[in-house]
Amino acid sequence: MNLVERIRELKRKRKAVLLAHYYQRAEVQDIADIVGDSLKLAIEAARTDAEVVVFCGVHFMAETAAITCPDRVVLLPDANSGCPMADMCHPRELAELKSRYPDAVVVSYVNSSAAVKAQSDICCTSANAVKVMKSVPTDRPVIFVPDRWLGQYAAERAGRSRLIWADSTRDLAEREGEGAPVVLWDGYCHVHHHILPEFVREAMAKHPEAELCAHPECRDEVVKMARFTGSTGQILAWCSSSEHREFLIATEEGILHPLRKANPDKTFHPVTSLAVCHDMKLVTLEKILWALEDMEPRVTVEAETAAGARKAIDAMLALSA
Ligand code: 13P
Ligand code: SF4
């Protein structure tokens, strides 16, 4: 029996469901029961009746599943697959920022720890960040953590022009504008942050017919050049339904696999071959098999933190229903 057959057999035996993010290795996406963006995977994890969830993604995603389905076993095939951006926001520092803006609504991107979510009013993903931002009354300040680029994108699309950036020394730089401010944490995804505007200009010059699609974790300058901006799932839907035949993709390279699979007659170019999330690539078929054999590594969240985080996740899911 080959590796894939052994995984399938053990998956049946354990009554497990295998969820995979679009940034996972192609062979991992191909064996998954459900492949999706962060929002789809959070929704699927919350509604699964499987006894075991094998989360092929990074730690915060498995943690979110452990929070929304506490009676299931949640396995993360490589316990070291973290998200450097999630690690940029420490709950203690967030508590300090909250004390400066006591009436602020705290919006946390799902790419954050359970402890940060527990201090938040509502979560968001890149698919619904604008909707979540719009749900906050304009006379209430917002603290957005940890992605400064997604926060800026969501604020601007929601018509909020008064932005305050907290820099690494926690000095605050303010952009004048109407209404209550949006205070942006100074975190970023290193993969998207390093898709530089000059790489985009070079790629556009090389492929002048291609339409640029960008993820909102990209820098503001890159997002402003794009024909379409959205989550990985939204980029896939946009390219699949478009009449256009050629696309330039400004996000992690894993998305090229489902894009090409769903659209064999269209051409997709990455803006740069450097856009690789090595944490996402830690999950391999072998590690999935070992996880199912050993029922390890498990991801659990302490009850009080989970209860706090659940409120923020449920507030987001209610808005996305
Ligand atoms: P989405 O799949 O929600 O667009 O998320 C991107 C990401 O960086 C996940 O880590
Ligand atoms: Fe984190 Fe970026 Fe990797 Fe997503 S792609 S897991 S945001 S480092």
Side-chain angles (χ1 to χ4, degrees):
M1 215 189 292
N2 69 27
L3 189 53
V4 169
E5 287 163 353
R6 283 167 69 198
I7 293 172
R8 291 215 168 102
E9 191 189 70
L10 207 47
K11 199 158 62 81
R12 270 192 300 276
K13 194 169 139 201
R14 300 282 193 217
K15 298 190 174 55
V17 65
L18 219 147
L19 306 183
H21 188 267
Y22 289 128
Y23 295 162
Q24 289 288 293
R25 294 167 184 270
E27 64 274 21
V28 171
Q29 294 191 40
D30 287 344
I31 201 184
D33 298 298
I34 297 163
V35 190
D37 65 10
S38 308
L39 180 62
K40 181 173 173 188
L41 295 177
I43 291 170
E44 294 295 343
R47 67 158 70 121
T48 186
D49 52 12
E51 289 175 15
V52 177
V53 177
V54 184
F55 216 116
C56 302
V58 291
H59 188 265
F60 74 80
M61 296 179 169
E63 213 177 39
T64 303
I67 292 164
T68 56
C69 36
D71 48 343
R72 313 267 185 264
V73 172
V74 178
L75 302 173
L76 180 62
D78 190 313
N80 291 317
S81 52
C83 170
M85 172 161 67
D87 295 340
M88 288 176 186
C89 183
H90 192 281
R92 196 178 49 244
E93 289 179 298
L94 174 57
E96 195 267 323
L97 188 62
K98 280 174 72 172
S99 70
R100 293 209 235 172
Y101 296 92
D103 57 338
V105 173
V106 180
V107 180
S108 59
Y109 189 24
V110 284
N111 301 37
S112 57
S113 66
V116 163
K117 289 185 179 79
Q119 283 198 45
S120 309
D121 297 291
I122 186 164
C123 289
C124 73
T125 73
S126 53
N128 61 18
V130 177
K131 198 172 179 184
V132 169
M133 190 68 83
K134 281 184 177 165
S135 75
V136 181
T138 48
D139 59 349
R140 293 280 305 276
V142 171
I143 292 175
F144 190 97
V145 297
D147 186 358
R148 62 184 302 167
W149 297 121
L150 179 67
Q152 176 173 346
Y153 166 80
E156 288 174 352
R157 292 278 168 120
R160 283 186 175 246
S161 53
R162 200 172 149 212
L163 305 181
I164 296 181
W165 284 269
D167 75 12
S168 52
T169 59
R170 297 274 169 261
D171 284 340
L172 300 177
E174 182 161 350
R175 186 210 275 173
E176 289 299 320
E178 296 295 309
V182 175
V183 184
L184 303 168
W185 198 260
D186 56 334
Y188 56 87
C189 161
H190 67 96
V191 178
H192 291 87
H193 193 73
H194 292 125
I195 302 177
L196 300 177
E198 45 269 42
F199 294 166
V200 178
R201 281 189 285 272
E202 271 168 35
M204 285 172 110
K206 201 167 158 201
H207 306 288
E209 296 302 317
E211 237 175 41
L212 176 68
C213 296
H215 194 279
E217 287 177 17
C218 290
R219 292 161 186 264
D220 168 52
E221 204 181 330
V222 171
V223 165
K224 292 208 163 99
M225 284 191 260
R227 171 78 180 84
F228 178 76
T229 304
S231 72
T232 51
Q234 290 167 337
I235 291 176
L236 181 58
W238 166 270
C239 294
S240 301
S241 63
S242 170
E243 294 289 305
H244 216 80
R245 322 283 332 144
E246 194 181 356
F247 301 87
L248 261 177
I249 304 298
T251 188
E252 208 273 348
E253 63 86 43
I255 189 67
L256 293 165
H257 177 63
L259 279 170
R260 288 173 178 150
K261 207 168 151 180
N263 302 283
D265 54 337
K266 296 180 183 174
T267 310
F268 299 93
H269 312 280
V271 165
T272 161
S273 58
L274 299 175
V276 180
C277 176
H278 295 288
D279 280 275
M280 283 282 182
K281 310 303 182 204
L282 285 175
V283 177
T284 61
L285 291 181
E286 288 80 1
K287 289 178 197 170
I288 295 172
L289 180 68
W290 299 332
L292 281 164
E293 274 173 352
D294 303 342
M295 294 295 276
E296 293 284 351
R298 291 186 191 202
V299 175
T300 55
V301 182
E302 179 272 320
E304 198 182 329
T305 307
R310 172 119 207 198
K311 281 190 200 149
I313 295 167
D314 284 349
M316 170 187 82
L317 294 178
L319 211 65
S320 307

